[in-house]
């Protein structure tokens, strides 16, 4: 399967393009940037875009007591799983396996956008995202990203603002 088989002319995956339409964000499709090389990691995305690593919005799926939860985190930071556990009042929080990510979101790791998922999940967004005028997030495919103002992204994702990034020691 080629990249052309799984994206529309904007570079978005069909599922994400449909989600943009449902959210009234069709104009965002014009701003999607598609790259010949994968932007699966925050570092790859920042290098391709030419932005700071912290301007990347990572969409990470965790399992809180077995229930998927999406955490939106800036690309320069790591999620503190213990802080997520405390925020959710869960007994145990772990990174979700690739099959759970795909089943929950409808996207592969590296292409998970902050909204437009197959199923509704609880969403936490780290406040660090608000330190920027614009952040870049995956557009449903490992080769595609889009820019958005962080407050709008948090709102569109239905996220709760939290402080869950690892603190430097």
């Amino acid at each position: 399967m080629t990249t052309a088989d799984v994206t529309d002319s904007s570079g978005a995956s069909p599922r994400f393009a449909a989600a943009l339409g449902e959210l009234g964000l069709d104009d965002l499709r014009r701003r999607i940037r598609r790259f010949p090389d994968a932007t699966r990691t925050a570092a790859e995305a920042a290098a391709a875009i030419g932005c700071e690593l912290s301007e990347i919005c990572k969409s990470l799926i965790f399992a809180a007591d077995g229930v998927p939860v999406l955490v939106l985190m800036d690309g320069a930071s790591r999620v503190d799983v213990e802080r997520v556990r405390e925020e959710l009042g869960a007994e145990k929080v772990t990174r979700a396996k690739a099959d759970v990510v795909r089943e929950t979101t409808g996207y592969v790791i590296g292409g998970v956008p902050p909204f437009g998922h197959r199923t509704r999940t609880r969403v936490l967004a780290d406040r660090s995202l608000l330190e920027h005028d614009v952040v870049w997030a995956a557009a449903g495919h490992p080769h595609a990203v889009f820019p958005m103002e962080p407050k709008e992204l948090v709102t569109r994702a239905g996220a709760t603002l939290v402080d869950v990034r690892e603190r430097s020691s």
Side-chain angles (χ1 to χ4, degrees), residues 62 79-86 93-95 164 166:
F62 290 84
V79 173
D80 184 325
V81 177
E82 179 61 20
R83 293 177 88 183
V84 171
R85 188 194 67 70
E86 290 170 3
V93 174
T94 59
R95 284 296 283 268
V164 294
E166 281 186 354

Side-chain angles (χ1 to χ4, degrees), residues 60-75:
L60 306 168
I61 300 291
F62 290 84
D65 295 336
V67 177
V69 61
L70 173 65
V71 177
L72 304 176
M73 177 60 69
D74 79 82

Side-chain angles (χ1 to χ4, degrees), residues 13-25:
S13 75
R15 176 182 304 283
F16 188 64
L20 292 177
E22 291 167 13
L23 292 168
L25 295 171

